[in-house]
Amino acid sequence: MSRYRFGIWPKARPLRHPAKWTDWLRPVAVLAAAVLVAGLVTGGPWLWKRLSCKDGWPSTDVWSAGGECVGLSAGGYDFGLPAFTNVLKVIEGQNASAADVCDPKGTPVTVGVLLTMTDQYAGARAVHELEGMAAGQARANSTGCLHPLRLVVGNIGAYAPEQEAVQVARRLADRPEVVAVAGIGLSNQRSAEIADLLAAAKIPMVSDLITAEGFDQSGSTAQETDYSGCEPDTTYQNGVGRDHYYRVAYRGSEQIRALGAALSGARLDFIMVPTGGTDPYTCTALPLMHKQFGGDITEVKFDPDEASTVSQTAQRVCNVAKDVTVGYIARGRDLAMFLHSLDQEFTEGHCSASSITVVSTSDGQRVRAAELDPRLEDLRVRALSSPSFTSGKLRLVSTLVGGADKQVLGNTGFTDFERHFTRIGFDVAHTDAGWAVNGYDALAVIEEAVNKLPVTREVQRSQVNTQISFVSSPETAVLGAGGPIMFDNDGNRVGPPPPVVRVCPLPPQNGTVGRVRSVTLQPAGPAPSC
């Protein structure tokens, strides 16, 4: 007869035969197995998300979401993305040596960096952006620094349907040592949610890349922005990051106004518009383009994921027998494909236009950066080295996301930026598309705010925010790589308008892909040649 009830629990024994301790092994084992199964059912997904992204014990700062690794890193972890390994190692080393040359009485500060490392609209420029931040950290911790500055880097992922971007921002906000955040992402609804979350935690943020209307503290109400072409369930039109948000990128209205001035009142014959209204960058720029360049302009929609629609768009543009000017407000990811299609029409003798000028806001500068995706890089090289582009029959005119992409008279900030950027081992070609410049400038604003605070006292988030809010006039402007930086009451960058440049052809190939130059257009001035 069994000594166990139901095969598990020990039966009672006479007093002279008490139960042995070994009799309890079976129920303990069954109970442990039940607890383990219950734990795997309830906590297994949480555990797997955190074990699948980092070797060793699960990390609460790094996890898997949307098929990629997101979270926070102080430089020792690259989220499984080899393109970022080098820059994160540089940041790790600079975090370790942050106090080496600073005032020994200085209290250290930590600045959070939030960026998307993998979104399709970023491309290789995300690497450049983080390199610019690292160069800004190098400047902050150079001779004469007061507060040693360390970075913690947050990868918010590719804006997948999951809430990982906001979750990463929340994880960063929960760190009391973080006194400010640089970056925060692209012109995207998730970035608006991040800004509001950080503002609720009283964290000042200096955005480096967001240009869409609405992404300021008032929702661009003073600009009377038209949001009718945007998704109705978004929040950025109400403003973001109340009292704590600033941006060093020129907003879309300023860029389009600068394009109009540089092109001396030219009218657009067409506007290239992607399908859908989910992207704030394009949906807020479209009415501004119409207003600036003549009103009722023919809109040509195309789906960049369907190559046939891009070639059909090129054919339509070429069907006008004159000098044609085309506004391009789709994403820079697809610009090379459009330029290549136009060149093919010229090459095959199917283009009636005598010349075509493509006019783009700052995302068009993406064609100046080598792509990580081989297919996109092949299109970029083909477009910028094509016969029509090198001859000037096909031209690209674009604003800069920052204030400069090379040294200009009177701007020593770019020289300082290049010196720090190359000294820590980065390729100077990575400065051409502008994201490194703006990453550096965002950190420069935070650094100067921090260094106005007492050396021997712990730095508070509210103090940093107050100091940034004072950056509002030429007397208090921060000299960045892109020129002087100052903000209006809504956190928008003000001052000299953003430069407008003509993008030059790719230099002749000598085994390596060269740097793409630009030449600046002056309002009412002669058209510059490359």
Side-chain angles (χ1 to χ4, degrees), residues 204-216:
M205 64 209 94
V206 182
S207 168
D208 57 340
L209 303 174
I210 294 175
T211 61
E213 297 298 294
F215 285 82
D216 57 29

Side-chain angles (χ1 to χ4, degrees), residues 161-473:
E162 298 183 46
Q163 292 285 330
E164 62 268 23
V166 179
Q167 290 170 6
V168 174
R170 183 174 291 109
R171 176 68 61 181
L172 189 66
D174 288 342
R175 292 194 172 196
E177 71 272 19
V178 173
V179 301
V181 169
I184 92 166
L186 307 180
S187 300
N188 187 287
Q189 169 61 24
R190 289 286 181 266
S191 299
E193 295 163 19
I194 287 172
D196 290 339
L197 183 152
L198 295 177
K202 308 299 182 185
I203 300 177
M205 64 209 94
V206 182
S207 168
D208 57 340
L209 303 174
I210 294 175
T211 61
E213 297 298 294
F215 285 82
D216 57 29
Q217 295 181 37
S218 73
S220 304
T221 53
Q223 307 299 317
E224 297 181 353
T225 305
D226 182 357
Y227 297 104
S228 60
C230 303
E231 290 291 308
D233 58 348
T234 54
T235 62
Y236 54 84
Q237 60 265 36
N238 301 318
V240 304
R242 185 76 64 182
D243 298 327
H244 291 82
Y245 175 84
Y246 312 85
R247 54 174 165 179
V248 298
Y250 292 97
R251 66 187 187 273
S253 56
E254 289 295 318
Q255 293 190 33
I256 291 170
R257 190 177 299 113
L259 286 169
L263 295 173
S264 302
R267 289 181 58 89
L268 298 181
D269 299 290
F270 303 96
I271 300 179
M272 299 297 103
V273 185
T275 55
T278 59
D279 187 351
Y281 175 84
T282 57
C283 73
T284 61
L286 180 58
L288 293 169
M289 277 283 200
H290 277 289
K291 183 177 180 180
Q292 179 67 50
F293 290 102
D296 189 19
I297 305 167
T298 301
E299 295 180 18
V300 182
K301 292 185 179 292
F302 71 98
D303 183 353
D305 295 324
E306 291 290 339
S308 61
T309 67
V310 181
S311 61
Q312 290 167 4
T313 298
Q315 292 167 12
R316 186 172 182 186
V317 170
C318 277
N319 200 30
V320 180
K322 70 181 192 72
D323 293 327
V324 175
T325 305
V326 181
Y328 183 90
I329 59 168
R331 282 290 185 172
R333 179 199 66 169
D334 309 306
L335 178 55
M337 183 190 303
F338 179 55
L339 295 174
H340 177 59
S341 296
L342 290 172
D343 172 69
Q344 285 186 311
E345 294 298 309
F346 274 124
T347 301
E348 295 169 5
H350 299 158
C351 197
S352 301
S354 49
S355 71
I356 298 176
T357 300
V358 178
V359 179
S360 171
T361 45
S362 59
D363 206 45
Q365 290 287 306
R366 177 166 176 168
V367 297
R368 297 179 63 186
E371 295 281 358
L372 297 175
D373 184 327
R375 183 186 67 85
L376 294 179
E377 176 62 4
D378 179 64
L379 282 170
R380 186 186 80 92
V381 171
R382 286 174 181 267
L384 298 188
S385 58
S386 64
S388 57
F389 201 82
T390 53
S391 68
K393 206 169 193 178
L394 175 61
R395 295 182 292 273
L396 173 61
V397 171
S398 170
T399 45
L400 301 180
V401 67
D405 66 351
K406 54 184 174 293
Q407 184 177 359
V408 294
L409 185 64
N411 178 19
T412 59
F414 193 86
T415 305
D416 292 339
F417 158 65
E418 272 195 326
R419 177 169 56 83
H420 288 296
F421 194 84
T422 55
R423 181 178 62 81
I424 56 179
F426 299 144
D427 184 350
V428 70
H430 290 184
T431 67
D432 294 337
W435 282 26
V437 172
N438 274 38
Y440 177 89
D441 281 356
L443 212 66
V445 171
I446 294 172
E447 177 223 334
E448 293 217 6
V450 166
N451 281 332
K452 287 183 169 64
L453 300 175
V455 177
T456 57
R457 296 181 185 175
E458 185 177 353
V459 174
Q460 303 294 324
R461 295 170 174 179
S462 59
Q463 295 173 314
V464 178
N465 188 54
T466 298
Q467 292 299 325
I468 295 176
S469 70
F470 290 155
V471 182
S472 58
S473 68

